[in-house]
Each structure stands twice: as C-alpha cells, then as structure tokens.
Amino acid sequence: MEKKKRILTGERPTGRLHIGHYVGSLENRIKLQNEYETFIIVADVQALTTHFEKPEILRNAVCDVVIDNISTGIDPKKSTFFVQSMIPQIAELTVFYSMLVTVNSLRHNPTIKTEATQYGYKDMTYGFLGYPVSQAADITFCKADLVPVGEDQVPHIEAARKIVRRFNALYKPVLIEPEILLGNCPRLMGLDGNAKMGKSLNNCIYLSDSEEDVNIKVRSAVTDPNRITLKDKGNPDVCVVYAYHKVFNTKECKNISELCKNAGIGCVACKKNLESVLNVFLSPIREKRMQLEEKQDYIKDILMTGTEKVKGIAKQTLDEVREAMSIKYF
Ligand code: ATP
Ligand code: MG
C-alpha cells in the first residue's frame, strides 16, 4: 500500500481562532485529513516571538486552539495535534537551518516587514526575524508534503522550500520540499478594513463569538466611506461587509453587489443579512465548542498523545539530518 502523504498546518496560540482561519486554512484541512496524514502544530514558540512578555496568553490559548479546530470538524482520531515547544528537535533543526539563510533574505521577507510594522518594532529581535527559519523546521522535521495555510504564509513556505533545496544539494537529499495549498479565501479582511483579520489585530469575528457579539461586530464593520445616505450608490469592492458576503453568502452575494451598486439596499439591511448568515454558520460550531470546553482533560490528552507520537518522527528525521551533515560522530 502506498504511504499516505503528510500535511503540516497549525496556528499560533495567541488567542481563539476566527472566521479568517476557517476560510484561509481550516476548511481545507478538514477535507484533507481524510486523504493525508495530518499534523497540526500549536506553534507556541512562534507565538513567543511576539508575545514573550505575556506568556500567560499562550497558556490559555493552547487548549482553545485545539477546541476551535475540533469544533469546526477536525477529527482528533485522524489528525495529530502537537505542541511545538515540546519537540526539542525543532529547535535543533532551526539552528542547523540558520546557517543556510541570510539575514538579508529575512529582512526582505514581506510578511516579516508587514508584521514588524503592525507590532511597531523599530528594532527586531533575533527570534522574530528568524521565525521563518523555525517554521521551516516545523514543516520539514515531519517531512510534510503539503502545507494548507493563508496567503501571509506564502513567503515563509517559499523560504522553507529554499532551505530544503540548499540542504539537500549541500548534504544529502533527506528533506522534502513542501507544496503550499491556499484556502478558499487566502486572506480575509479585518472588521476595521485591515487587509487581514488577525488574532493580534483586534479586528476579528471569532468562531466562539456569541450571536450578540457577531451582531455588534458586524454593525461596527467598515463600509464604503463614500456612501453616506441610502440614495448614494455603493462600491462593494471597498466594503468589508461585502467581502464577508462573498465568502460566507455565495448564493446571494451577486445580487447584493448589484443592489449596493444601484442603491437598492442600505448598509443596515445588508449587515442584518450578513449577521444571520454568519450566525447560521457559527451556531453548530459554538455548540460543539461549549461541549468541548467542559472536557479539558480530553483536550490535554489529545495534545499529550499527539506530541508523544510526533517525538518519534522528530528523532528519526534528526538522525537522518545529522548523518547527512556528517555530524553523527559515534
Ligand atoms: P496572530 O495575529 O497571532 O499572528 P493570526 O490570526 O495571524 O494570529 P496565525 O495563528 O498566525 O493567526 O495563523 C494561522 C493560520 O491561519 C495561517 O495559515 C494563516 O495564514 C491563516 N490565517 C490567519 N489569518 C487569516 C486571514 N485573515 N485570512 C486567511 N487566512 C488566515
Ligand atoms: Mg499570524
């Protein structure tokens, strides 16, 4: 029987997951877990690169991220969850890879640049600048063939592919060059009109938000600033509410766009429609989530068992890596 191909995907435990995660990455991984051996990383070391001063946030979010994954349809029997910091081989591999990456290439990484601006970093830490190297280690220690992620991750996967090519050519071809798989909506806008909805940006609709929260948030979403009265014709292309209709309300979105352009629907009605569409989508997720929140021991067990399984794979890869680099001495 042919060996199943592998997927590596995951999140930083910096908070609960949002609807951007769903359309950017979760939706794909829910389908793919049936065909691929799926590994889901809870990337706490990567989270430390921006949250090292408030590690208590990570502590709370580790289980939340797993709960969000399972409540949207990830089956822990099919997919393996693990905690990044509990796999020391990832840190080792990061050191080896750091020899193969120039500081300039990291400085020019567009996502690093965007995030540095977003966090207000005038001077970046070594850890933050180097997180794409650590991410290359996350992907390659388990020899992932495919990485289902959002668009912000593309430069990092490219960097990982480059490291793999360099390593394989320089030493021995023991690593796998991963393919990227973008979601149905690779970059969902934030409620504030920011190009990306992000946990650390305070512009999210969370999968765990209550019906009331969703309604309040949708009402606050940025719409076409030039549309002041009902009679003004709107431009859906600059409207956050329409961006969400396009993704979550595929049946009606064309019609909504036409109505907006011809001043046939007001922003209030358009938002009301979106509120109900989102609440229909989120209702079963919320319900499952509430059940899982009562089962913290079950969630911990999933993480412990998964991490143990992954440790075996990590040891084996590091053995091969050391051998390829001729640093397995005895
Ligand atoms: P943080 O602000 O802490 O970085 P985040 O919201 O960016 O949080 P991550 O844990 O960094 O979430 O990302 C996890 C996955 O979700 C990645 O594959 C990322 O590309 C995807 N993702 C995150 N935000 C979006 C979005 N707005 N649209 C599409 N995909 C997204
Ligand atoms: Mg992020």
Side-chain angles (χ1 to χ4, degrees):
M1 204 177 75
E2 206 183 315
K3 217 176 139 222
K4 265 190 181 177
K5 288 198 168 184
R6 281 186 183 157
I7 282 177
L8 184 279
T9 182
E11 287 84 23
R12 308 185 336 135
T14 50
R16 292 179 171 192
L17 301 190
H18 50 71
I19 57 174
H21 289 115
Y22 185 82
V23 289
S25 164
L26 278 168
E27 195 178 18
N28 256 336
R29 88 175 71 144
I30 291 159
K31 284 188 216 136
L32 293 164
Q33 65 178 340
N34 298 311
E35 301 160 44
Y36 288 80
E37 195 180 359
T38 301
F39 294 97
I40 302 176
I41 185 168
V42 182
D44 60 336
V45 179
Q46 190 176 316
L48 279 177
T49 65
T50 53
H51 287 58
F52 62 94
E53 286 169 311
K54 20 188 189 238
E56 61 285 352
I57 293 182
L58 277 57
R59 196 181 174 78
N60 293 330
V62 165
C63 288
D64 272 333
V65 162
V66 177
I67 291 176
D68 282 326
N69 268 272
I70 301 177
S71 49
T72 49
I74 289 291
D75 179 350
K77 289 198 191 80
K78 293 179 188 161
S79 299
T80 305
F81 289 94
F82 68 97
V83 181
Q84 186 186 22
S85 65
M86 290 170 79
I87 310 290
Q89 288 84 356
I90 295 179
E92 280 181 68
L93 207 49
T94 305
V95 175
F96 297 152
Y97 288 172
S98 69
M99 272 37 108
L100 309 178
V101 183
T102 66
V103 173
N104 257 344
S105 74
L106 293 166
R107 280 197 197 282
H108 289 126
N109 179 307
T111 299
I112 288 281
K113 279 194 198 164
T114 310
E115 289 176 348
T117 310
Q118 170 197 316
Y119 287 107
Y121 295 156
K122 287 196 189 77
D123 198 11
M124 281 178 257
T125 64
Y126 174 59
F128 177 77
L129 181 68
Y131 93 71
V133 185
S134 163
Q135 196 170 317
D138 300 337
I139 299 166
T140 54
F141 91 87
C142 65
K143 300 202 174 169
D145 300 282
L146 199 65
V147 196
V149 284
E151 212 165 48
D152 57 324
Q153 299 301 305
V154 173
H156 303 336
I157 314 298
E158 285 303 335
R161 289 167 60 94
K162 231 172 149 179
I163 291 172
V164 168
R165 288 200 293 270
R166 183 116 172 80
F167 184 101
N168 285 349
L170 199 56
Y171 307 118
K172 246 188 201 174
V174 294
L175 301 173
I176 296 203
E177 202 176 320
E179 298 284 335
I180 185 162
L181 182 74
L182 288 178
N184 159 39
C185 170
R187 190 183 291 252
L188 190 72
M189 279 176 130
L191 285 161
D192 55 358
N194 186 306
K196 182 183 168 304
M197 179 177 283
K199 284 190 234 91
S200 312
L201 293 167
N202 205 13
N203 62 3
C204 305
I205 294 180
Y206 293 97
L207 296 169
S208 48
D209 276 344
S210 68
E211 197 170 323
E212 205 188 353
D213 287 338
V214 170
N215 298 347
I216 293 170
K217 286 184 181 182
V218 170
R219 268 168 236 166
S220 79
V222 173
T223 53
D224 176 2
N226 292 324
R227 196 169 183 211
I228 296 151
T229 70
L230 256 177
K231 283 185 209 143
D232 297 328
K233 291 182 177 176
N235 176 5
D237 294 334
V238 298
C239 175
V240 172
V241 177
Y242 182 66
Y244 298 169
H245 272 298
K246 261 205 314 208
V247 181
F248 294 95
N249 192 9
T250 45
K251 271 191 212 139
E252 286 180 300
C253 73
K254 245 196 169 145
N255 189 29
I256 287 171
S257 166
E258 285 311 310
L259 286 169
C260 172
K261 283 181 197 161
N262 297 302
I265 185 175
C267 292
V268 173
C270 184
K271 283 180 168 180
K272 272 229 143 34
N273 183 338
L274 181 70
E275 284 164 25
S276 75
V277 167
L278 286 178
N279 280 318
V280 166
F281 164 67
L282 290 173
S283 167
I285 298 174
R286 267 184 217 131
E287 217 163 283
K288 186 90 196 279
R289 210 181 183 290
M290 262 152 61
Q291 291 167 9
L292 289 165
E293 268 176 352
E294 302 297 312
K295 297 188 195 169
Q296 291 291 330
D297 285 345
Y298 166 69
I299 302 297
K300 275 184 204 146
D301 191 50
I302 286 171
L303 278 168
M304 294 296 289
T305 321
T307 303
E308 273 314 306
K309 176 178 162 185
V310 164
K311 271 185 192 163
I313 297 170
K315 277 189 192 139
Q316 199 184 329
T317 303
L318 259 290
D319 239 29
E320 290 171 33
V321 162
R322 282 171 191 283
E323 214 238 0
M325 295 175 74
S326 307
I327 56 166
K328 204 174 154 194
Y329 306 113
F330 312 107

